C-alpha cells in the first residue's frame, strides 16, 4: 500500500441524517453523531486538509456516490435476521432484542417483495401439547412487534414447531437456551 | 398385515362374580396386597409343548398386570404338577399351605391348525370353582389367546377387565419425522398408521374407534386432521392460521381441540358428522389440552391466564372457570379418568416434569413419578386403574405403564426408537 491514509467516505443515510463511515472491506457504524460532533468532524477534516497542503500532499476530495439502490443492496448483504431468544416458559420479547427487531422491520420495509415465516421453537422441558402452543405465542409475539413497527401483517406468517425441531439436541441449560427461539426464514 | 383372530368362546359354567367379593382391589391405596396365584402345567392327552408354554406365558402376563404374584415353578413339585384338574381331584389345603390363594388349572389340545384350551380358576380358601372357559383359536393366535385368558382371569378376580389385550396409539420416529403407530401393549400386531415423513403428533381415536385425529405438518403447517378409519378417507382438515391441537373426544363424533393464533387461544368443539364448529372458550394467551369430564359437563384445561401454566375447569352450562392447581409454576396436560374421580396431569417439580393425579376438585395432589426426567402425556386405561405416559431420560423417550397409585411401573417397547404420546385405544 502506497498511501496508508484511510479513505473516509462520509455519507448521509436517509432523511434521519445518520452518518456512516465506510472503510474498505469493513462496514462500521458510528453510533448517532449529533450536530455538534458533525461540525467538529468537519472542522477536523479542514485542519487535516490544511496540514496536507502545508506538507505538499494532495487534498483528497470525497463524494457520496452510494445510490439508494446500492444502499438497499448493502442492507440485503447485511441481512439482520438473527434468532430471538426467550426465557423459560415465556413468550415476552426481551428489551435487548428491540434494536434487532427494529432493523428487521426496516429491512422488511425496504425489501417489500420478501415474505417471511417466523418459526416459534421451545426447549424440551415442557409438555408436547403446551410447547406447540407456546411456540406459536413466541412467533406471534415477534410478528406482533414487527406489525406494530409498520410491516404489512400479510407478509408475516407464524409456524410453531414446539419442541420438535431443536437446533441443539443436547439436554443442557445451554442447549435449552438456544432452543427457546424465534427463527426467521423466507417464504 | 391385519391379523384376525377368532375366538370361539364357550362359557361352561357361570359363577356369580360376587363370590369373589372377598378380594377387593383398591389400587388408589398404596401398597395393596398382590394375590398369589399358581399356574401349574396344563393337561394334554397328546404330547404338546403348549402344556408348559401356555402356563409360562400366562404367568408372564399376570405378573405384568401388577395384580398377581405367581407361585414359582420351583415350589411346585411333582405332586402339585401331576394333580388332576377336577374340583374333586384337588387338595386345596395343600395349595393353601404354600400360600396359594387362586389356582389355575386347565387342559390343552392341538387339533390340526387349532388350539383348544380349557381354563378353570379355583379359590383355594373356599375350594370353589370361580371360572371355567373353553377357548378355541388358530395356532398363530397364541399370543392374543394368552392375553384374552389373562384379561378374563383379571376380570373374574378383580371385577374389571385387564389391559393385556388393549391396544395403544403412540407416536414414534426420529425428531422431525414422527409417525403414528397402533400396537398391542406388548408390541404384538404393531402397525404404522401414517407415513408422511414429517412431524405428525398427538393422535387420538374417537370412542368407537371410527375416527383418528392428529396434528401433522404434512402441508408445512400444524393442521389438524380427522381420518375415517372405516372408510379410509380424510374427513376434515382445519387449515386456519396458527396451531391446532386436540386429542380428546366429547362423544363418538365430537372432537375437542385448541386453536391458537395471534392474541387468542380457543377451545373448539367440532362435530365430525355435521361438520359444525363451535367455540367453547376464547381467551388471550395460552389455552391448551382441553379434556372433557366423562359426564360431558366440564372441560379441564391448561391456561397461563395468571402468568404460569395452571389447570382450570370450564363449566359448559354456566361458563364458569375454576382454578384447580396452585402448587408450583407449571401444571399442564390434564386428563380426566374414565370414572371422573381423578385428574392426571404433568407438574414441574424440582426442575423435572412428573406425572401427578389429583381429585377433580384440585385437592389431594399425589406425585406418581420421581424419575427426574421429562414425563408427559398421561392417559388412563379404559378400566381407570392404569396410566400410560411417556418418559424421557437423556435422549431416549419411552412409554411406561403404571397403576394410578404410581406402583407397578413397566416400560413398554415397540419400535426401538423414541416412543411418546401414548393413548389407550377405546375398547
Amino acid at each position: 500500500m502506497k498511501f496508508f491514509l484511510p479513505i473516509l467516505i462520509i455519507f448521509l443515510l436517509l432523511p434521519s441524517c445518520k452518518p456512516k463511515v465506510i472503510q474498505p472491506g469493513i462496514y462500521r457504524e458510528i453510533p448517532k453523531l449529533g450536530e455538534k460532533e458533525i461540525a467538529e468532524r468537519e472542522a477536523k477534516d479542514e485542519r487535516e486538509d490544511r496540514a496536507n497542503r502545508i506538507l505538499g500532499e494532495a487534498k483528497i476530495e470525497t463524494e457520496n456516490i452510494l445510490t439508494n439502490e446500492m444502499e438497499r443492496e448493502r442492507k440485503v448483504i447485511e441481512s439482520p435476521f438473527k434468532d430471538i431468544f426467550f426465557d423459560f416458559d415465556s413468550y415476552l420479547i426481551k428489551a435487548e432484542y428491540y434494536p434487532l427487531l427494529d432493523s428487521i422491520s426496516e429491512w422488511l420495509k425496504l425489501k417489500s417483495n420478501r415474505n417471511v415465516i417466523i418459526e416459534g421453537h421451545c426447549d424440551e422441558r415442557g409438555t408436547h401439547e403446551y410447547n406447540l402452543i407456546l411456540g406459536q405465542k413466541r412467533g406471534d409475539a415477534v410478528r406482533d412487534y414487527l406489525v406494530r413497527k409498520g410491516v404489512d401483517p400479510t407478509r408475516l406468517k407464524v409456524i410453531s414447531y414446539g419442541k420438535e425441531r431443536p437446533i441443539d439436541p443436547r439436554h443442557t441449560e445451554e442447549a435449552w437456551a438456544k432452543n427457546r427461539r424465534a427463527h426467521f426464514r423466507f417464504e | 398385515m391385519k391379523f384376525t383372530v377368532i375366538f370361539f368362546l364357550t362359557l361352561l359354567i357361570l359363577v356369580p362374580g360376587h363370590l369373589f367379593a372377598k378380594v377387593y382391589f383398591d389400587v388408589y391405596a398404596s401398597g395393596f396386597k398382590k394375590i398369589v396365584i399358581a399356574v401349574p402345567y396344563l393337561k394334554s392327552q397328546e404330547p404338546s409343548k403348549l402344556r408348559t408354554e401356555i402356563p409360562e406365558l400366562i404367568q408372564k402376563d399376570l405378573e405384568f398386570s401388577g395384580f398377581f404374584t405367581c407361585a414359582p415353578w420351583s415350589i411346585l413339585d411333582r405332586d402339585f404338577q401331576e394333580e388332576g384338574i377336577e374340583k374333586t381331584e384337588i387338595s386345596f389345603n395343600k395349595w393353601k399351605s404354600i400360600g396359594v390363594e387362586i389356582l389355575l388349572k386347565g387342559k390343552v389340545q392341538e387339533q390340526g391348525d387349532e388350539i383348544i384350551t380349557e381354563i378353570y380358576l379355583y379359590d383355594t380358601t373356599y375350594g370353589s370353582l370361580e371360572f371355567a372357559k373353553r377357548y378355541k383359536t388358530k395356532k398363530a393366535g397364541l399370543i392374543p389367546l394368552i392375553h384374552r385368558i389373562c384379561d378374563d382371569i383379571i376380570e373374574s378376580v378383580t371385577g374389571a377387565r385387564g389391559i393385556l389385550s388393549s391396544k395403544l396409539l403412540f407416536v414414534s420416529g426420529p425428531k422431525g419425522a414422527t409417525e403414528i403407530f397402533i400396537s398391542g401393549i406388548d408390541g404384538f400386531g404393531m402397525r404404522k398408521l401414517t407415513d408422511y415423513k414429517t412431524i405428525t403428533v398427538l393422535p387420538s381415536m374417537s370412542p368407537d374407534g371410527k375416527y383418528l385425529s392428529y396434528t401433522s405438518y404434512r402441508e408445512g403447517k400444524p393442521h389438524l386432521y380427522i381420518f375415517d378409519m372405516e372408510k379410509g378417507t380424510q374427513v376434515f382438515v382445519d387449515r386456519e392460521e396458527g396451531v391446532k391441537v386436540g386429542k380428546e373426544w366429547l362423544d363418538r363424533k365430537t372432537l375437542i381441540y385448541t386453536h391458537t393464533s395471534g392474541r387468542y387461544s380457543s377451545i373448539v368443539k367440532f362435530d365430525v358428522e355435521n361438520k359444525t364448529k363451535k367455540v367453547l372458550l376464547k381467551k388471550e394467551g395460552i389455552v391448551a389440552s382441553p379434556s372433557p369430564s366423562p359426564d360431558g359437563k366440564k372441560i379441564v384445561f391448561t391456561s397461563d391466564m395468571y402468568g404460569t401454566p395452571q389447570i382450570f375447569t370450564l363449566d359448559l352450562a354456566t361458563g364458569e372457570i375454576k382454578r384447580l392447581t396452585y402448587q408450583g409454576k407449571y401444571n399442564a396436560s390434564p386428563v380426566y379418568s374414565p370414572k371422573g374421580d381423578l385428574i392426571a396431569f404433568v407438574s414441574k417439580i424440582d426442575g423435572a416434569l412428573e406425572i401427578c393425579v389429583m381429585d377433580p376438585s384440585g385437592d389431594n395432589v399425589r406425585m406418581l413419578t420421581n424419575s427426574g426426567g421429562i414425563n408427559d402425556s398421561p392417559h388412563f386405561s379404559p378400566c381407570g386403574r392404569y396410566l400410560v405416559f411417556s418418559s424421557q431420560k437423556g435422549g431416549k423417550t419411552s412409554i411406561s405403564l403404571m397403576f394410578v397409585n404410581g406402583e407397578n411401573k413397566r416400560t413398554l417397547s415397540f419400535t426401538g426408537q423414541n416412543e411418546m404420546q401414548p393413548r389407550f385405544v377405546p375398547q
Side-chain angles (χ1 to χ4, degrees):
Chain A
M1 281 254 125
K2 207 169 175 186
F3 294 103
F4 206 69
L5 271 175
I7 301 165
L8 301 176
I9 302 170
I10 300 172
F11 61 93
L12 299 175
L13 195 142
L14 302 170
S16 64
C17 299
K18 207 174 169 189
K20 285 211 165 184
V21 178
I22 295 184
Q23 294 180 340
I26 310 165
Y27 297 123
R28 185 159 56 91
E29 198 172 336
I30 293 176
K32 290 196 176 141
L33 291 187
E35 302 265 320
K36 200 178 144 204
E37 284 89 347
I38 293 167
E40 277 176 5
R41 175 155 298 201
E42 281 167 357
K44 186 171 167 262
D45 288 347
E46 242 181 73
R47 280 202 303 280
E48 280 179 0
D49 282 347
R50 207 183 307 126
N52 287 341
R53 272 202 301 280
I54 293 164
L55 289 167
E57 292 192 20
K59 176 180 167 25
I60 297 169
E61 293 192 15
T62 65
E63 187 190 347
N64 185 7
I65 54 164
L66 195 68
T67 64
N68 275 351
E69 202 47 50
M70 289 161 79
E71 170 65 13
R72 277 184 199 180
E73 287 301 314
R74 195 182 68 82
K75 282 235 167 188
V76 174
I77 293 163
E78 285 182 7
S79 166
F81 294 98
K82 291 195 183 84
D83 287 356
I84 312 285
F85 297 98
F86 293 84
D87 285 338
F88 174 74
D89 191 36
S90 167
Y91 47 94
L92 193 76
I93 295 169
K94 292 192 262 186
E96 62 185 281
Y97 294 108
Y98 293 168
L100 174 59
L101 286 169
D102 290 345
S103 61
I104 287 171
S105 75
E106 284 306 315
W107 189 95
L108 283 168
K109 281 186 268 181
L110 277 167
K111 297 288 286 183
S112 58
N113 59 337
R114 301 303 298 267
N115 291 356
V116 161
I117 288 169
I118 307 161
E119 299 181 356
H121 297 271
C122 305
D123 70 25
E124 62 181 10
R125 295 170 307 158
T127 72
H128 275 281
E129 212 173 340
Y130 194 84
N131 277 8
L132 272 174
I133 298 170
L134 179 60
Q136 179 75 31
K137 297 306 284 186
R138 285 179 177 161
D140 274 326
V142 169
R143 182 179 186 271
D144 188 48
Y145 186 97
L146 297 176
V147 170
R148 274 191 282 116
K149 292 289 171 177
V151 181
D152 176 3
T154 61
R155 298 175 54 206
L156 304 167
K157 296 233 160 56
V158 173
I159 298 181
S160 169
Y161 289 96
K163 57 174 170 175
E164 310 295 330
R165 280 192 184 171
I167 197 153
D168 188 333
R170 292 174 303 152
H171 314 285
T172 60
E173 287 289 348
E174 194 195 342
W176 293 328
K178 278 195 219 165
N179 290 333
R180 292 189 297 265
R181 71 202 194 277
H183 175 76
F184 296 91
R185 70 178 154 92
F186 295 114
E187 195 173 9
Chain B
M1 55 144 225
K2 189 162 177 185
F3 205 81
T4 321
V5 182
I6 303 161
F7 290 107
F8 296 94
L9 213 127
T10 318
L11 207 64
L12 293 178
I13 304 163
L14 231 147
V15 179
H18 64 255
L19 279 185
F20 259 100
K22 78 170 181 82
V23 185
Y24 176 65
F25 278 93
D26 182 7
V27 293
Y28 305 143
S30 65
F32 73 95
K33 189 184 152 295
K34 290 190 181 192
I35 293 201
V36 181
I37 188 167
V39 191
Y41 299 144
L42 304 184
K43 299 284 172 208
S44 67
Q45 283 179 338
E46 309 290 321
S48 166
K49 67 177 173 60
L50 289 175
R51 69 179 285 263
T52 55
E53 199 180 341
I54 289 176
E56 276 168 18
L57 292 169
I58 287 177
Q59 289 197 11
K60 241 174 89 186
D61 262 11
L62 292 178
E63 293 265 6
F64 178 89
S65 80
F67 293 120
F68 296 96
T69 299
C70 295
W73 291 73
S74 57
I75 65 163
L76 303 186
D77 61 21
R78 203 182 163 80
D79 276 2
F80 281 116
Q81 295 288 16
E82 296 301 317
E83 194 186 58
I85 64 172
E86 296 294 325
K87 190 173 167 181
T88 50
E89 298 171 298
I90 299 169
S91 165
F92 289 108
N93 280 333
K94 246 177 84 186
W95 288 103
K96 264 201 301 194
S97 73
I98 60 165
V100 172
E101 294 162 284
I102 303 285
L103 175 60
L104 186 147
K105 294 263 178 168
K107 57 183 175 191
V108 63
Q109 190 188 342
E110 294 183 51
Q111 219 171 57
D113 193 27
E114 288 183 329
I115 307 168
I116 301 163
T117 313
E118 286 177 18
I119 299 292
Y120 302 86
L121 203 64
Y122 295 98
D123 181 332
T124 62
T125 310
Y126 304 105
S128 54
L129 178 62
E130 303 297 333
F131 167 101
K133 270 186 182 178
R134 178 184 293 142
Y135 301 84
K136 193 169 157 188
T137 186
K138 294 262 189 275
K139 275 183 182 163
L142 178 65
I143 297 299
L145 168 71
I146 301 295
H147 294 335
R148 176 65 160 275
I149 291 170
C150 291
D151 281 344
D152 284 348
I153 294 168
I154 290 164
E155 184 171 16
S156 170
V157 176
T158 70
R161 287 198 74 74
I163 51 146
L164 295 152
S165 308
S166 297
K167 287 189 166 57
L168 291 181
L169 274 180
F170 60 94
V171 163
S172 180
K175 267 234 181 308
T178 48
E179 308 286 358
I180 298 169
F181 290 78
I182 189 167
S183 171
I185 60 166
D186 59 346
F188 188 83
M190 185 168 71
R191 276 196 299 149
K192 199 161 139 182
L193 295 181
T194 60
D195 194 13
Y196 301 132
K197 298 176 178 67
T198 181
I199 303 163
T200 300
V201 290
L202 299 164
S204 75
M205 220 170 245
S206 63
D208 58 3
K210 186 169 163 40
Y211 301 109
L212 174 74
S213 78
Y214 53 87
T215 296
S216 176
Y217 290 66
R218 49 192 271 217
E219 293 170 48
K221 293 179 178 181
H223 294 330
L224 182 111
Y225 298 82
I226 299 177
F227 192 81
D228 187 323
M229 299 287 279
E230 286 169 9
K231 293 185 184 134
T233 53
Q234 192 170 288
V235 288
F236 175 69
V237 190
D238 188 332
R239 291 193 176 88
E240 285 193 42
E241 273 306 308
V243 63
K244 286 85 51 184
V245 283
K247 50 182 178 49
E248 298 296 333
W249 293 75
L250 189 60
D251 56 46
R252 59 164 197 86
K253 62 180 176 74
T254 314
L255 177 70
I256 305 285
Y257 67 96
T258 58
H259 175 211
T260 304
S261 180
R263 191 183 296 268
Y264 297 100
S265 279
S266 312
I267 297 178
V268 181
K269 178 171 108 167
F270 180 72
D271 183 319
V272 182
E273 277 162 26
N274 298 319
K275 305 273 191 294
T276 50
K277 231 194 247 187
K278 191 185 168 202
V279 173
L280 300 176
L281 181 73
K282 187 171 182 177
K283 280 200 99 64
E284 284 192 35
I286 293 177
V287 169
S289 308
S291 168
S293 60
D295 62 10
K297 289 182 177 159
K298 283 181 182 171
I299 285 182
V300 66
F301 62 97
T302 311
S303 168
D304 68 341
M305 65 179 94
Y306 296 122
T308 59
Q310 297 294 342
I311 295 168
F312 300 81
T313 51
L314 166 70
D315 188 308
L316 288 176
T318 63
E320 187 198 355
I321 288 173
K322 189 180 161 225
R323 180 171 173 175
L324 299 187
T325 53
Y326 291 90
Q327 291 170 322
K329 288 181 180 163
Y330 196 106
N331 296 298
S333 293
V335 62
Y336 273 105
S337 66
K339 289 183 193 128
D341 55 348
L342 286 175
I343 292 170
F345 62 103
V346 174
S347 186
K348 192 160 192 251
I349 297 165
D350 296 333
L353 294 182
E354 306 286 3
I355 307 290
C356 299
V357 289
M358 61 184 170
D359 296 349
S361 59
D363 299 326
N364 205 5
V365 173
R366 288 147 279 173
M367 177 173 145
L368 304 184
T369 57
N370 192 10
S371 68
I374 297 168
N375 298 287
D376 192 3
S377 312
H379 189 244
F380 286 93
S381 62
C383 67
R385 299 184 293 192
Y386 297 89
L387 277 165
V388 276
F389 60 101
S390 69
S391 196
Q392 180 190 335
K393 273 173 213 152
K396 176 77 181 160
T397 307
S398 50
I399 294 171
S400 290
L401 176 83
M402 63 181 171
F403 277 140
V404 295
N405 66 359
E407 289 188 8
N408 199 45
K409 288 192 180 73
R410 311 271 190 246
T411 302
L412 310 178
S413 78
F414 303 96
T415 62
Q417 288 182 301
N418 283 336
E419 293 150 353
M420 60 208 104
Q421 300 159 30
R423 297 179 64 80
F424 278 96
V425 171
Q427 282 172 332

